[in-house]
Amino acid sequence: MVNKTSAASIELDRLGMLVWAYLVTAVGTVVALAILSATAPHEAPPEAWGHAVIVAAFAVLLPLRFRSARRGSVAALRAVGLIAAALFLVNVVEALLPDFVPGWMRVEMFGTAVLMALIIGLVVRERI
């Protein structure tokens, strides 16, 4: 029989890895936009920067909520799931808008959506 505490710990460890992967992705996106603004401005339009600012804000918020969730806060775990759901929807919708952002950023958005879907799945598993 699997110890429920150790199973929950494993799920939280996996969730933590995904949250940090999102943080790295968000920071990488902002760095890429900064570099592209100087070298290829057409690859860093204002819409891409608008998206990146939102992504960066959630990159601060998500790890903070996750840290509280790791300490046992059910409300914080729920917040992690809700943030992930919002990010999933926003990234998918914006990536599907024609001519909204450059192709490289569409790939980043779909990658972020996959990360968020995995986070949602782990939050749901953790709560069950």
Side-chain angles (χ1 to χ4, degrees), residues 23-76:
L23 178 63
V24 169
T25 301
V27 170
T29 300
V30 172
V31 169
L33 280 170
I35 292 168
L36 289 171
S37 290
T39 60
H42 65 282
E43 289 291 328
E47 296 83 6
W49 275 105
H51 174 79
V53 167
I54 293 167
V55 165
F58 280 112
V60 171
L61 184 60
L62 195 59
L64 291 174
R65 295 288 73 211
F66 173 70
R67 187 171 22 156
S68 295
R70 188 176 268 300
R71 284 190 231 130
S73 171
V74 174

Side-chain angles (χ1 to χ4, degrees), residues 5 8 10 16 18 20 28-29 37 47-49 54 58 67 78-79 95-96 103 114-116 128:
T5 305
I10 290 169
L18 292 172
W20 289 110
T29 300
S37 290
E47 296 83 6
W49 275 105
I54 293 167
F58 280 112
R67 187 171 22 156
R78 187 178 314 117
L96 292 175
V114 169
L115 281 174
M116 294 305 111
I128 293 177

